[in-house]
Amino acid sequence: LYCGYTGPISVQNKELIVRAIILHAVLRLQPMLEQLREGLQLYGLLWLLGQHPDICRPLFVPGEDFVMASILPQLSDKGTTRHQVELEIINFIQDFLYEAEAADQGHVVEAITPARFLQWITGQGHIPLLPLEKKDFAVTVKFNHDCSADFGHHNICYPVVSACARTIVLPVRHMRCYDQFKKVLMEAFHLGQEFNIV
């Protein structure tokens, strides 16, 4: 109803429902995007964006480097086995973001991009604009080594994301190798999209 669809809700009307939602989203965003476009035109930036999209892209979309620079892991004591495992997982994150950046360049529709990854963890999918905000922006990464003590016997658990606190807690036991890490993270990402759904 909020999007202007007043017909019956059924599978047969799926296309009409989706069309009403998309139309509502576009009409709501169109004036904002037009205003942004006019503002960029005033300073000649719209032309610059059109001529050099690859150069300007990092200004608007956080890439792997910004996300990795924002990560603040809470590591165990140096020399411990836990510390070594945590460092491996940080490397997994970097590899994952590198793959995400490459997939984003290939415009894979279902791919997780560094911007979407950042939005999932923080609720904010853009680089902070003000220098002070950018300097203080951090994503805390915590490691749960004892999920069995917390949840008893289980086969899988997922990262716990607290967007307001910009924190992610990774279940170490379920992320021992890169393939496990990627599988668990992708499942968690696709199952937990509260901040990303239009």
Side-chain angles (χ1 to χ4, degrees):
L1 288 175
Y2 183 75
C3 297
Y5 178 77
T6 56
I9 297 176
S10 65
V11 176
Q12 291 80 13
N13 293 333
K14 179 181 174 183
E15 286 185 35
L16 293 172
I17 295 168
V18 170
R19 185 175 185 280
I21 292 169
I22 292 172
L23 188 61
H24 172 75
V26 169
L27 290 176
R28 190 175 56 108
L29 292 176
Q30 191 75 28
M32 289 184 257
L33 293 174
E34 286 299 324
Q35 191 175 20
L36 178 63
R37 183 182 186 86
E38 288 172 16
L40 291 171
Q41 264 180 329
L42 284 175
Y43 298 100
L45 293 174
L46 191 62
W47 176 85
L48 187 67
L49 288 171
Q51 295 299 313
H52 307 286
D54 292 335
I55 295 171
C56 297
R57 182 182 182 90
L59 298 173
F60 296 95
V61 180
E64 165 207 355
D65 296 335
F66 175 77
V67 178
M68 280 308 295
S70 302
I71 288 180
L72 184 66
Q74 291 187 349
L75 300 170
S76 299
D77 294 332
K78 282 188 178 180
T80 63
T81 307
R82 285 184 173 199
H83 181 80
Q84 188 60 39
V85 169
E86 292 163 358
L87 290 178
E88 285 179 27
I89 290 178
I90 294 298
N91 286 333
F92 292 164
I93 293 172
Q94 187 168 9
D95 292 345
F96 181 79
L97 291 171
Y98 178 76
E99 282 184 23
E101 186 82 21
D104 189 28
Q105 299 295 323
H107 306 292
V108 179
V109 175
E110 287 300 315
I112 180 173
T113 63
R116 290 179 70 201
F117 180 77
L118 187 66
Q119 184 173 9
W120 176 53
I121 295 174
T122 67
Q124 171 180 321
H126 64 278
I127 297 172
L129 299 176
L130 301 175
L132 183 63
E133 288 177 350
K134 193 180 278 191
K135 183 178 79 76
D136 295 335
F137 188 84
V139 174
T140 303
V141 177
K142 297 180 180 180
F143 304 90
N144 183 352
H145 292 271
D146 303 314
C147 62
S148 293
D150 296 337
F151 306 115
H153 178 71
H154 62 283
N155 294 326
I156 187 79
C157 61
Y158 296 104
V160 177
V161 172
S162 176
C164 295
R166 294 187 191 137
T167 302
I168 184 169
V169 180
L170 300 172
V172 174
R173 181 177 150 233
H174 303 282
M175 298 180 152
R176 290 291 185 184
C177 67
Y178 180 69
D179 289 337
Q180 282 181 325
F181 171 86
K182 185 176 177 180
K183 181 180 183 296
V184 169
L185 198 67
M186 288 297 285
E187 284 179 12
F189 175 79
H190 288 295
L191 294 172
Q193 291 297 302
E194 288 84 2
F195 283 96
N196 287 8
I197 294 175
V198 174

